[in-house]
Amino acid sequence: GIEEGLRSPIEYPYGCLEQTTSRVIPLVMVEELARALALEGLDGPALQRFVRAGVAKIGRHQTANGGFSLWPGGEPEPYLTAYALWGLHLARRAGHPVSDRRVADGVSYLREALGGSSRSSPVHSELGELGSRAFALHVLALLGKPEAQLATRLREERSKLPLFGRAFLARALAATLGK
């Protein structure tokens, strides 16, 4: 019965950045499982093609300034950029080719966006915005680009952070130790 669950990320018909990245991540994570179970259509080169197509599609959401937008040609947002970079990081770590330039441009955008005092969009709540900033700092740390100063500044607002934001912030701060 696991085959159907593994196929659903491939067959999901929508394609905004979040949906695309949310398909790539589990596919990357189950590659070994799919190989071990020899699932027809999901093993070896077939699964790799799906992951690589997803990585390429994520790239089409990147804007000229390095950030990622919900739809190609849209306005970039820090949370979306962090989420895309996380998906690309996981794909790269699993051995899939990911453009160094694409990641570097995304990191540059994210650092600049997080360094500013303005929030990404008035439609986001403060709780969501602060949690997203903590997630973005965590992703930068995963990429080997921790931002100690920005993490320390966000720590001052920890009472406003949701629990998941506190966890991401703690991981980001831990990554800056000794740097």
Side-chain angles (χ1 to χ4, degrees):
I2 196 169
E3 295 92 342
E4 196 58 37
L6 293 176
R7 286 186 210 292
S8 66
I10 294 166
E11 297 166 354
Y12 191 71
Y14 306 107
C16 75
L17 178 68
E18 286 179 302
Q19 292 160 336
T20 299
T21 305
S22 293
R23 283 193 308 255
V24 168
I25 291 169
L27 291 175
V28 166
M29 301 304 218
V30 300
E31 277 185 289
E32 187 174 328
L33 178 62
R35 273 193 302 274
L37 296 176
L39 300 175
E40 187 178 330
L42 290 177
D43 57 340
L47 184 57
Q48 289 184 1
R49 278 193 308 276
F50 288 124
V51 171
R52 291 176 183 180
V55 166
K57 189 171 183 181
I58 290 170
R60 290 193 290 273
H61 292 263
Q62 193 165 29
T63 64
N65 66 357
F68 288 80
S69 63
L70 189 60
W71 296 101
E75 290 296 316
E77 289 190 33
Y79 167 74
L80 294 173
T81 300
Y83 193 56
L85 289 173
W86 182 51
L88 293 174
H89 167 73
L90 293 174
R92 177 187 283 172
R93 194 175 72 189
H96 296 281
V98 173
S99 164
D100 290 337
R101 181 65 188 198
R102 183 172 306 290
V103 172
D105 289 350
V107 166
S108 293
Y109 167 83
L110 199 52
R111 283 179 156 165
E112 185 176 322
L114 293 175
S117 60
S118 66
R119 303 296 188 211
S120 65
S121 172
V123 299
H124 299 297
S125 69
E126 182 178 35
L127 186 70
E129 178 66 31
L130 292 174
S132 294
R133 292 173 81 79
F135 173 67
L137 290 167
H138 167 67
V139 170
L140 287 172
L142 282 177
L143 294 169
K145 309 290 184 189
E147 286 288 338
Q149 185 177 10
L150 295 175
T152 301
R153 195 165 69 202
L154 184 57
R155 186 179 178 277
E156 294 169 4
E157 297 187 72
R158 71 183 171 276
S159 65
K160 298 178 187 175
L161 278 169
L163 186 57
F164 75 90
R166 292 179 193 175
F168 282 129
L169 180 59
R171 295 183 78 179
L173 285 165
T176 66
L177 295 175
K179 297 211 183 228

